[in-house]
Amino acid sequence: MADSKVENRNQYVLITGATSGIGYELANLFAKDGYNLVLVARNEDRLQEITDKLKQAYGVEITPLPKDLFRPEAAQEIYDATHDMGITINVLVNDAGQGEWGPFIETDLQRDLDIIQLNISSLISLTKLYLKEMVTRNEGKILQLGSEAGTTPTPLLAVYAATKAFVLSFSAALANEVKDTNITITALLPGATDTDFFHKAHQEDTVVYKEKSLADPCDVAKDGYDALMKGESKIISGAKTKMHVFMSDLLGQKLSASNMRKQMQPSEKKKGRTKSGHVPSRKERESIQQETGMKDGDYSNDYRDHSDA
Ligand SMILES: NC(=O)c1ccc[n+]([C@@H]2O[C@H](COP(=O)([O-])OP(=O)(O)OC[C@H]3O[C@@H](n4cnc5c(N)ncnc54)[C@H](OP(=O)(O)O)[C@@H]3O)[C@@H](O)[C@H]2O)c1
């Protein structure tokens, strides 16, 4: 078992989206530093797998909480569950998020609304519920997963990018509201990162996924973790992403949208990346497939069939 920091032994971190990609890497970083974890995602088997692995590696307390944040009631249920277990959440990480690729008039309306529920409404609910307690205690930290896409209108991923623009504005406003307390709110802005996101969004055939280099979720998580610990209000992860955000500010919305569209178009290359190089994302995909019998790409929303999306 690895050494972990004793001072964090009675601290609890709640992470949504902890089974894959950036959320999984964040869970590792917190566990390594001795924090106890409450982990939220939909897939129960994968949650249990990660719980067992992190417990064994770091000896911290881990509570898996399977919940579907597409459901409007889920945030309150999570809050009630931690309350009933007598757990005080010292750090909240709102990581779970999804997108759906395609021209806006062709994407499924319910899927768009689900994404808004997950990326915005559930994030607001969890933030409200736990921030109130943090303010009462005058202590706490919140990490919100934004995105480079939140700084630029993104054709063919329009709803997703708009939800992330919301997250950035919301987080900056809250950071100001709590600036005279011991609470900090940090927004993490990754660029395109090698996770299962692209498969869930049916975005595997795009230029950005097939042809471009993608950030490593370990590096993105570390940037977010360090910024959160320092209490910074915003962190853009990686030099390439910083440059993109700078250019987008310079060019204005119309030209930036046109640049983004080129990244979101279907790639004409026959060869290219087809599956995530990130092991936990691949494992998540495999365990969901085993459990549900669904094919690749079908499980982005486990109660609707998107196989023809
Ligand atoms: N990858 C990128 O290029 C990129 C770039 C910028 C920002 N981001 C943001 O980073 C965050 C993490 O994404 P990722 O790239 O790490 O994706 P990922 O590998 O697909 O991980 C998503 C995580 O969220 C959980 N999740 C998805 N839908 C959920 C729901 N309805 N209820 C509860 N949990 C749910 C997933 O587990 P279950 O499926 O089991 O629920 C999984 O643990 C997202 O907010 C995303 O928007 C990603």
Side-chain angles (χ1 to χ4, degrees):
M1 198 185 296
D3 281 347
S4 54
K5 291 184 188 161
V6 174
E7 67 267 25
N8 298 327
R9 277 286 164 197
N10 51 8
Q11 298 273 304
Y12 282 85
V13 185
L14 189 146
I15 307 177
T16 67
T19 53
S20 171
I22 300 164
Y24 171 80
E25 297 304 340
L26 282 163
N28 270 276
L29 290 170
F30 281 107
K32 197 171 167 199
D33 274 353
Y35 287 91
N36 300 309
L37 304 177
V38 179
L39 304 181
V40 177
R42 290 168 302 171
N43 186 271
E44 270 190 80
D45 286 355
R46 179 81 183 125
L47 265 176
Q48 195 55 53
E49 198 182 310
I50 286 161
T51 299
D52 297 343
K53 185 182 158 189
L54 294 182
K55 253 188 198 166
Q56 198 186 5
Y58 303 112
V60 293
E61 200 182 292
I62 307 200
T63 308
L65 214 50
K67 288 285 171 198
D68 183 351
L69 289 161
F70 282 145
R71 293 174 49 246
E73 310 77 27
Q76 183 70 50
E77 289 169 7
I78 291 167
Y79 176 79
D80 291 346
T82 55
H83 196 259
D84 291 349
M85 286 184 277
I87 293 176
T88 298
I89 298 300
N90 306 97
V91 183
L92 169 65
V93 179
N94 280 309
D95 169 86
Q98 290 198 34
E100 180 70 22
W101 181 87
F104 175 68
I105 57 159
E106 289 176 19
T107 51
D108 179 59
L109 176 60
Q110 189 54 53
R111 172 87 172 131
D112 291 338
L113 297 176
D114 284 347
I115 286 168
I116 292 169
Q117 175 65 46
L118 172 66
N119 298 6
I120 296 183
S121 302
S122 289
L123 178 142
I124 290 189
S125 303
L126 287 169
T127 303
K128 171 95 76 185
L129 292 164
Y130 289 109
L131 182 58
K132 275 186 168 184
E133 290 196 343
M134 288 177 184
V135 169
T136 307
R137 298 193 311 269
N138 195 21
E139 120 359 273
K141 292 181 186 302
I142 300 183
L143 182 65
Q144 313 280 35
L145 257 291
S147 171
E148 172 192 339
T151 66
T152 309
T154 307
L156 306 179
L157 208 58
V159 170
Y160 171 75
T163 66
K164 293 299 181 178
F166 176 93
V167 171
L168 299 185
S169 166
F170 175 64
S171 304
L174 289 195
N176 175 276
E177 285 190 24
V178 298
K179 74 179 170 43
D180 297 325
T181 71
N182 291 328
I183 297 145
T184 56
I185 315 249
T186 305
L188 167 60
L189 283 69
T193 305
D194 186 12
T195 72
D196 204 51
F197 177 88
F198 297 90
H199 302 280
K200 290 186 177 79
H202 303 97
Q203 208 191 326
E204 300 101 320
D205 290 332
T206 53
V207 169
V208 63
Y209 187 69
K210 246 183 162 170
E211 300 179 26
K212 302 292 173 185
S213 67
L214 301 177
D216 184 330
C218 301
D219 298 336
V220 174
K222 184 76 172 81
D223 284 346
Y225 188 82
D226 290 347
L228 178 81
M229 291 305 157
K230 285 184 204 148
E232 290 170 5
S233 58
K234 182 166 113 178
I235 173 76
I236 302 171
S237 180
K240 198 168 87 174
T241 314
K242 286 188 178 76
M243 176 56 79
H244 287 171
V245 173
F246 175 76
M247 288 305 291
S248 144
D249 284 350
L250 207 67
L251 292 174
Q253 288 203 323
K254 197 172 166 191
L255 276 176
S256 303
S258 154
N259 278 347
M260 270 305 224
R261 178 152 192 160
K262 291 178 193 142
Q263 305 293 314
M264 295 298 142
Q265 299 274 44
S267 166
E268 285 173 8
K269 289 205 170 158
K270 292 235 161 41
K271 288 194 177 153
R273 187 181 291 104
T274 54
K275 74 194 228 183
S276 175
H278 185 237
V279 175
S281 301
R282 252 201 342 261
K283 286 191 86 175
E284 179 206 37
R285 167 179 296 268
E286 284 157 9
S287 69
I288 291 170
Q289 284 167 6
Q290 271 165 18
E291 194 193 11
T292 63
M294 287 177 174
K295 298 190 300 292
D296 248 15
D298 286 356
Y299 60 81
S300 57
N301 182 334
D302 56 8
Y303 51 90
R304 278 182 206 94
D305 181 12
H306 283 279
S307 49
D308 58 356

